[in-house]
Every structure is written in structure tokens, then in C-alpha cells.
Amino acid sequence: MKQIQNYINGQLVAPVAGQHIDNYNPATGEVYSLIPDSDEQDVERAAQAAQAAFPAWSKTPAEKRGRILMHIADLIDQHLDCLAEAESVDNGKPLKLARTVDIPRASSNMRFYGTAIQHFASEAHYMEGTEAINYTVRHPHGVAGCISPWNLPLYLFTWKIAPALAAGNCVVAKPSEVTPMTAYLLSELCIEAGLPAGVLNIVHGYGHKVGAAIVAHSEVPVISFTGGTKTGRAIAATAAPMFKKLSLELGGKNPNIIFADCDFNNALHTSIHSSFANQGQICLCGSRIFIELPLYETFRDAFVEKVKALTVGDPLEEGTKQGAVVSEQHMQKVLSYIELAKQEGGTILTGGHQVQVEGRCTKGWFIAPTVIEGLPYNCRTNTEEIFGPVVTLTPFDTEEEVIQYANCTDYGLSATIWTHNLQRAHRVAHQVHSGIIWINTWLLRDLRTPFGGMRNSGVGREGGFEALRFFTEPQNVCVKL
Ligand code: NAD
């Protein structure tokens, strides 16, 4: 059975304590590899290696750092098929999705920041009258801690490490223990690309051991975290008294607002995707669909018909639209929310149950894509993050009403608005409390834009120069002329 290894100081190594965690294939329910059950000893070794590598890496010209990142991007592209299969097996997502979205985006992240750092400039402020000039130097922090979740494993892992490394930091990173495989394969590619030893260190294991040790480490002054809101709160509690710089990308409960004047086919087709892509396990999925009353029944009927046609099956098969959810524990959580929805008065229009897939996947963790109607807009099902293939449909009458519905959760990550009325689109966009708004589209991403959530969806922004600002410390130098 394949044993994943930590990547510390340029070497692939076993955890100090010699312990391992079972790694499951969600489509078969079987253990297929072993993950290092690392602890604070491994984090300490990684932090020391990163500290030792920092002086040379931070002085390496940005152009050369960028070239190494782009070499890693090229290697990711060359290994597309093997990485995509590994991601699908580890996570349960359809192979096609991994091949067309996850892995290409991982190489884009490396390439984007490998080039962005060469265009990243700082400001100068000339003081008229006083005859002085201020200029800003942006220093890398030293060792950055990067912690990522299981839903888009390599995609989100590289989204953090690429800007951190490009900016001249060394990194101690932890992928999710639920989906560690592609980060492990990436460490092999980093060695092949000639990334100097200690610049990137990947420590595998549980969040409460490895993640917590990274956050608490006195020599890791900056933490970039993507994951659940509850974990983000725990991280903030540890980091705040140490005055660490934090970027927190957390949960969401995103509204998908459909006005009656929308482009019906586009709204329908895209809403299927925004509801159920990756089994609804994308933080940006629109799990609350609000439909203007005159369109409600037409949209509902067409939507349910399309959802019924989504093929749930073996993620490795070409025709599969819905793969497995990531773990048995997560499946039980999603199913418990479906039960809650029934108790809260919801009607299940389709789905609502586990699916047993024939063949090699009979013991896998599959859920039928589920559509629920008839729930109050402010019930628990409609305000808590489910993070699975479950959406609710709710009619609305007025613009004011739907803005109130959209804003009634503690989250504020993303929202989608469907309308042909340009004025209304902007008006509603500006009133919905979300960090990211899509109008007449979904998940259209320009990597230069600020990415992140409001309220319980997070603190700070990633993407573009925002991430390079986050991973550097500005220092103002004032020169009297
Ligand atoms: P999680 O919070 O359980 O885990 C995320 C990571 O944190 C994992 O690597 C985990 O091992 C680690 N971790 C757990 N406890 C820790 C601790 N005490 N200290 C440090 N690290 C710890 O989240 P998850 O279940 O892996 O991911 C799903 C969540 O991620 C959802 O809420 C989803 O909305 C969110 N998410 C947000 C975004 C975004 O950009 N805002 C993107 C993807 C996922």
C-alpha cells in the first residue's frame, strides 16, 4: 500500500513518531494509502528547515523564483492525467472535473504567481514643500504557514503556496488529511523542478496536531488558512495573542437569485452546475436558490427534471456527473441536514437519500442530488452550511425581500444574480453582503481579482496582488532630501 511521506528540507521522509493514518477512497469506501500522522516534532523540523532556507530564497531574484514556480507549473501540466486520477481517487470527484478544473487550475496558480511577482511594485510618496520622499519596501515575512481543505485539494493548496513562495517566503504547509495525495505528488515535482531544500515543506496529518502546531509556532508569523468557520475561529484564538498576520477563507451559504427576466436557459443550466459541481462541495456553490414568483414553478419543474438526469456513479467513468462525497462522516452530516429539512417542513422534490452504486463502488459514499422546497428562508437548513449536493428553492416577491433573504445568514462569501436589468443587477449586487458577486454567470474567475468573504466567511483577501501584499510586510522609508 502506498505510503505518503512528508516533504521536509528537500527530502521525502517518514513522520518522526512513525505513526500513520488510513487514507480512504470515497468511491469504494476502502483504505488505499497511508498518511503520516505527524506531530509537533515534524512541524518543528519543517519550521527549522524553512528558517534555514529563508535568507537565500528571499534574496533570490524574483525572476529566478518565478522561473522555478513556472517549471513546477510545467511539470503539473505534464503529469495532468496522473494528478487528475489521484485527485479523483482521493476525493471522490469525477475524473473529468479533476482533469478539466482542479489540476489545470493548480498549474495556473503556480504560473500566475511566478509571473505576477515580476510585476509587483511598491509605492513612493514625494512630499512637496518638505522636500522628502517616502518609499515602501515590501519584505517577505520569513516562514509562512499554509493550511488547506479537502474539497479542491491541489487547487487550493497551490493557491496559497504559490504567492507565499513568489513573494520570497519559505513555507510550512499542511494539506487536508482527508485528501493528501496530490500535495504529496506535488512534493515530488518540486524536487524535480529544483526548488531549493527547505523552501517548501509539506507536513501531513491531523488538523488538531499538525495544523495547530503550525499556527502556534513562534517562528511562523503569518498564517493563510482555508477551511471551516469553526476551525478559523480556533486558529484566530491562537494567533491573535501572538499578533500573527492572518488570512482566513471560511465557509459559505451562498444565495443564487433568479429574477423572472433572466436568460432562462443560461440561468437553469448554470444553476445546475453551481448547485452540484463537485457534489456541492465548493465553498462558492449557490445552495439557496431564490426565484422570483412569476418564474417559480416553471424554473422549479425544469430544474428538478435536469437534476434527476444527473448521473451519480463511479468517478472514474466518463459519463459520471456526480461522484462520491468526500468521507463517510461527511455523508452522514449531509444526510442529517436532509432529515432536518424534513423536520423543518421542507418537501424533497428529488434525491434526499444515499445512493448505492453498482460494481466496484457498492461501498462508496454517494448521495443523490437533492432539491428541497417549502422551507422558511431563515430556518437552519437555509442558514447553516451543508456543503453537499443539497439545494433549497424559495420564491420571492420583491427585490427588497430577496435582499433580506440573501443576507439572513452569518456568512458572506459569494452570490449570483440572474437578470437582464442592468440597473437592478448592480443595485442588488451592492446590497448583498458577499465578497464575490457573479451576475449572469458563476465561478468565472480572473486570478487578478480580490477573492474572499465577509462576516463569518473570512478575513482578508487572496488573489492577484492582494495575496502578494498579504505575504509581505510593508516598510516605509522616509528620506529628507
Ligand atoms: P476544516 O476546517 O475541517 O479543515 C481545513 C484544514 O484545517 C485541514 O487541513 C485541517 O486538517 C486543518 N485543521 C483542522 N483543525 C485545525 C486546527 N485546530 N488548527 C489548524 N488547522 C486545523 O475544513 P474542511 O472540512 O477541510 O473544508 C471544508 C470547509 O472549507 C467548508 O466550510 C468550506 O466552505 C470551506 N472552504 C472555504 C473556501 C473559501 O475560499 N472560503 C474554499 C474551500 C473550502
Side-chain angles (χ1 to χ4, degrees):
M1 192 173 295
K2 187 161 191 160
Q3 277 201 9
I4 287 173
Q5 291 182 294
N6 288 332
Y7 172 48
I8 298 177
N9 205 19
Q11 308 283 322
L12 297 175
V13 291
V16 175
Q19 300 299 309
H20 288 84
I21 306 165
D22 289 340
N23 189 20
Y24 288 87
N25 175 342
T28 62
E30 283 160 6
V31 176
Y32 82 102
S33 77
L34 294 174
I35 315 161
D37 180 6
S38 311
D39 58 28
E40 70 281 354
Q41 303 175 80
D42 304 282
V43 172
E44 184 55 41
R45 288 183 176 199
Q48 282 182 16
Q51 271 181 283
F54 178 69
W57 181 248
S58 57
K59 287 189 186 71
T60 301
E63 195 267 336
K64 186 169 177 201
R65 290 201 299 264
R67 231 184 304 138
I68 296 176
L69 294 192
M70 284 188 273
H71 189 176
I72 297 171
D74 290 343
L75 290 173
I76 293 174
D77 288 343
Q78 284 165 30
H79 293 80
L80 170 68
D81 286 340
C82 130
L83 287 166
E85 186 170 335
E87 201 73 296
S88 170
V89 169
D90 215 24
N91 174 279
K93 69 179 66 205
L95 176 58
K96 194 171 173 191
L97 185 72
R99 197 189 284 129
T100 54
V101 176
D102 291 74
I103 308 306
R105 174 59 191 274
S107 71
S108 294
N109 290 339
M110 301 306 280
R111 206 166 275 122
F112 178 85
Y113 281 107
T115 49
I117 193 61
Q118 294 169 59
H119 302 267
F120 186 48
S122 58
E123 314 82 34
H125 302 91
Y126 178 67
M127 299 171 77
E128 295 88 352
T130 329
E131 298 307 306
I133 189 157
N134 296 271
Y135 64 89
T136 309
V137 193
R138 300 202 76 101
H139 299 282
H141 292 281
V143 183
C146 296
I147 302 173
S148 56
W150 49 256
N151 63 323
L152 301 167
L154 195 63
Y155 174 136
L156 289 174
F157 188 73
T158 49
W159 184 231
K160 296 188 176 304
I161 62 167
L165 296 172
N169 299 280
C170 292
V171 171
V172 177
K174 192 197 100 60
S176 170
E177 67 277 21
V178 186
T179 54
M181 187 56 84
T182 48
Y184 169 61
L185 297 175
L186 179 75
S187 55
E188 293 179 339
L189 300 183
C190 290
I191 295 170
E192 193 179 335
L195 188 70
V199 168
L200 170 65
N201 303 274
I202 303 176
V203 186
H204 294 272
Y206 289 119
H208 67 270
K209 287 165 84 172
V210 176
I214 294 172
V215 175
H217 200 288
S218 60
E219 299 303 324
V220 182
V222 53
I223 303 288
S224 173
F225 168 78
T226 299
T229 297
K230 198 169 153 216
T231 315
R233 193 170 285 126
I235 289 174
T238 305
M242 301 172 84
F243 305 112
K244 294 196 179 201
K245 196 170 178 187
L246 274 187
S247 169
L248 301 174
E249 299 292 341
L250 310 177
K253 186 74 179 177
N254 310 308
N256 178 8
I257 302 170
I258 299 173
F259 285 97
D261 71 342
C262 68
D263 172 343
F264 183 81
N265 284 334
N266 194 5
L268 180 68
H269 178 81
T270 309
S271 294
I272 294 288
H273 196 49
S274 67
S275 302
F276 299 111
N278 205 36
Q279 296 71 249
Q281 302 165 133
I282 299 180
C283 55
L284 305 162
C285 278
S287 54
R288 297 179 292 149
I289 307 181
F290 299 117
I291 305 143
E292 199 174 3
L293 260 171
L295 192 66
Y296 184 76
E297 287 180 9
T298 312
F299 185 91
R300 177 196 60 196
D301 296 348
F303 185 77
V304 169
E305 197 187 317
K306 278 200 168 301
V307 175
K308 283 184 177 159
L310 291 172
T311 323
V312 181
D314 186 338
L316 297 182
E317 277 176 18
E318 188 64 25
T320 295
K321 295 276 187 272
Q322 292 284 288
V325 296
V326 77
S327 66
E328 183 169 21
Q329 191 190 6
H330 191 58
M331 180 180 73
Q332 295 305 344
K333 179 194 147 183
V334 174
L335 292 173
S336 77
Y337 268 104
I338 294 171
E339 284 311 307
L340 175 70
K342 290 183 199 160
Q343 287 162 25
E344 290 185 317
T347 304
I348 311 289
L349 299 176
T350 182
H353 53 83
Q354 192 181 345
V355 174
Q356 196 175 29
V357 171
E358 296 302 312
R360 70 177 196 109
C361 296
T362 45
K363 294 201 187 115
W365 304 311
F366 296 84
I367 299 179
T370 300
V371 183
I372 307 169
E373 73 168 354
L375 285 165
Y377 72 93
N378 56 358
C379 66
R380 281 185 57 204
T381 310
N382 264 331
T383 53
E384 296 177 14
E385 185 183 48
I386 300 174
F387 212 54
V390 180
V391 293
T392 62
L393 306 184
T394 309
F396 70 89
D397 197 6
T398 65
E399 201 175 296
E400 293 68 35
E401 190 178 59
V402 78
I403 291 168
Q404 186 204 347
Y405 291 0
N407 287 338
C408 86
T409 76
D410 293 331
Y411 294 107
L413 189 54
S414 74
T416 306
I417 301 164
W418 293 94
T419 177
H420 268 146
N421 180 334
L422 203 55
Q423 282 177 322
R424 174 162 62 196
H426 290 291
R427 197 168 54 231
V428 174
H430 297 179
Q431 292 176 78
V432 172
H433 300 151
S434 298
I436 302 146
I437 308 271
W438 281 291
I439 295 171
N440 298 331
T441 184
W442 178 72
L443 205 57
L444 185 57
R445 293 277 296 119
D446 180 329
L447 301 188
R448 294 170 298 182
T449 59
F451 178 93
M454 299 177 178
R455 308 200 280 184
N456 285 5
S457 289
V459 179
R461 292 293 180 273
E462 297 185 334
F465 289 157
E466 298 281 344
L468 294 177
R469 286 189 200 103
F470 173 75
F471 282 113
T472 51
E473 185 83 81
Q475 179 187 43
N476 189 68
V477 180
C478 177
V479 188
K480 181 84 174 77
L481 300 177

